Amino acid sequence: MPPRRKKSIATGDTGRPTMADLAALAGVSKITISRALRGSEAVHPETRERIKSLAREHGYRLNLSARNLRLQRNAMVAVVVEMQPSVERPMSEPYPLALLGGISQELTSAEYSILLMAMHELSPERLPPVDGVILLGQGEADEATVRIRELGVPVVSWGALRSGHGSLVVGSDNARGGELAAERLLSLGRRRVVYLGNTRFGEIADRCDGLKARLEAGGATLVECLDGGFTFLTGANAIRTLLSAGTHHFDGIFACSDLVAMGAIRALTDAGVDVPGDVAVVGFDDTPMASYFVPALTTIRQDWHHGGLLLARKLLSLVQGEAAQSEIMPVNLIVRSS
């Protein structure tokens, strides 16, 4: 019997194999070849290395410039941040930096450039030629989402699932986060709980809904829902106002963010209220400062970095003509001292 010959692939006019040739040899799609050669984590590591090995063996190189020219793409993505930076809430906070880190990691590995924009800069007339948009934050009453529909390019948003969005969404399971906060407070015997957060934002409303439903199922009450911002000062001021009014006795607080929770704790301790003896407090996010605060903050953890990776991967899929679906990530309760 003659020896088996090594499997080979045909080559084009240039003498080099095409992406289709390599895909046929590897038994995968062309988009998988493209992602693997860019080093994308969306491809299983073993598959990624097998494809790279085949490409080296057959002399194939991914020509991104030719691909972009052929497909009339610019290899640029706009990342739009829907927030108003301030001294109390700078852009250097974990949100949005952790999300941006994941986005940058994935887009850079795909050899895409990133254009960072503020929401007030966004309009169809002012938007540079980009292949798609990642929107960080949907705004009050989804106003940012409504504006983003006008751009006429693929869009993926960070936020809450809502019908009629007009864009894919990646976000955390905010309602489950509210439930976990309620379960923790109920386990500590807390029966009258205050929620701190602006429920005109979809994510914040979902956290409140989850909290309220689980409290009521456990025989407890949501006695107050105080709208406010996302800063230490707004959390402190909300609780100072509540304490000065003296209209409600409360023994638990769930805040929409760690920073708001820390502000609430400061107001309580300044007023001589023991945390967690008199009032237990739960935050949301699990920012680095949460574990160092005194008392260390019990909180709901969401994985912003992984969220950034998902945002970028889904947008690249849309840009490349693939189907993509919204995705809601799980959250976890991190128990500390508050």
Side-chain angles (χ1 to χ4, degrees):
M1 178 181 293
R4 296 179 65 183
R5 294 194 301 173
K6 186 178 180 180
K7 190 174 181 180
S8 62
I9 56 179
T11 59
D13 294 338
T14 63
R16 293 190 299 270
T18 66
M19 182 180 292
D21 295 330
L22 194 60
L25 181 60
V28 300
S29 66
K30 290 193 291 183
I31 186 59
T32 300
I33 296 293
S34 176
R35 285 176 171 170
L37 296 181
R38 295 194 315 258
S40 172
E41 294 181 5
V43 181
H44 190 278
E46 290 183 4
T47 303
R48 197 163 61 226
E49 289 307 311
R50 180 169 64 88
I51 290 171
K52 288 182 177 180
S53 177
L54 286 171
R56 287 192 297 268
E57 180 181 347
H58 295 280
Y60 178 83
R61 288 182 60 84
L62 182 62
N63 189 334
L64 289 170
S65 297
R67 181 203 65 179
N68 292 335
L69 181 62
R70 182 177 69 256
L71 298 177
Q72 295 184 324
R73 294 179 188 157
N74 301 291
M76 179 181 291
V77 167
V79 178
V80 180
V81 182
E82 196 288 316
M83 68 173 282
Q84 184 62 48
S86 66
V87 173
E88 294 180 351
R89 196 186 182 207
M91 289 281 284
S92 57
E93 290 294 307
Y95 176 87
L97 275 192
L99 277 170
L100 288 169
I103 292 168
S104 177
Q105 178 178 322
E106 190 68 17
L107 291 181
T108 300
S109 71
E111 299 195 21
Y112 270 72
S113 299
I114 300 172
L115 177 65
L116 185 62
M117 302 180 67
M119 193 66 204
H120 70 268
E121 300 175 297
L122 191 64
S123 70
E125 298 77 21
R126 298 179 64 181
L127 185 70
V130 296
D131 295 326
V133 173
I134 295 175
L135 174 63
L136 301 186
Q138 296 159 325
E140 290 193 33
D142 291 341
E143 59 183 3
T145 306
V146 172
R147 287 182 58 189
I148 214 83
R149 294 176 190 160
E150 304 171 359
L151 301 178
V153 295
V155 176
V156 181
S157 304
W158 171 261
L161 278 177
R162 291 290 185 272
S163 61
H165 255 162
S167 66
L168 259 65
V169 173
V170 173
S172 298
D173 193 340
N174 294 290
R176 180 56 182 157
E179 293 173 358
L180 290 172
E183 290 169 6
R184 176 59 181 170
L185 293 169
L186 288 168
S187 74
L188 296 173
R190 309 310 159 110
R191 292 296 179 266
R192 296 179 62 81
V193 177
V194 170
Y195 180 67
L196 303 180
N198 185 343
T199 55
R200 291 184 295 275
F201 290 85
E203 295 169 273
I204 309 308
D206 286 352
R207 293 169 199 175
C208 185
D209 290 344
L211 173 76
K212 183 178 180 181
R214 185 64 186 89
L215 287 175
E216 291 177 350
T221 304
L222 179 62
V223 298
E224 196 83 53
C225 181
L226 299 177
D227 284 354
F230 297 92
T231 68
F232 183 97
L233 187 59
T234 56
N237 286 341
I239 294 304
R240 286 174 185 142
T241 300
L242 195 59
L243 290 172
S244 64
T247 54
H248 290 293
H249 170 70
F250 58 95
D251 54 14
I253 295 173
F254 177 39
C256 68
S257 77
D258 288 350
L259 205 56
V260 173
M262 293 174 195
I265 291 173
R266 173 60 61 84
L268 290 169
T269 55
D270 286 351
V273 179
D274 182 65
V275 179
D278 298 321
V279 178
V281 180
V282 179
F284 199 105
D285 292 332
D286 193 28
T287 56
M289 183 62 70
S291 61
Y292 298 109
F293 197 72
V294 180
L297 185 63
T298 293
T299 186
I300 308 299
R301 183 176 189 271
Q302 60 175 338
D303 192 341
W304 279 320
H305 182 80
H306 185 63
L309 293 176
L310 290 177
L311 285 164
R313 288 173 188 170
K314 290 179 185 298
L315 184 68
L316 288 175
S317 292
L318 292 179
V319 168
Q320 292 156 356
E322 290 189 313
Q325 295 182 337
S326 295
E327 186 167 343
I328 299 301
M329 303 185 302
V331 296
N332 306 102
L333 173 69
I334 307 298
V335 176
R336 297 193 179 100
S337 306
S338 66

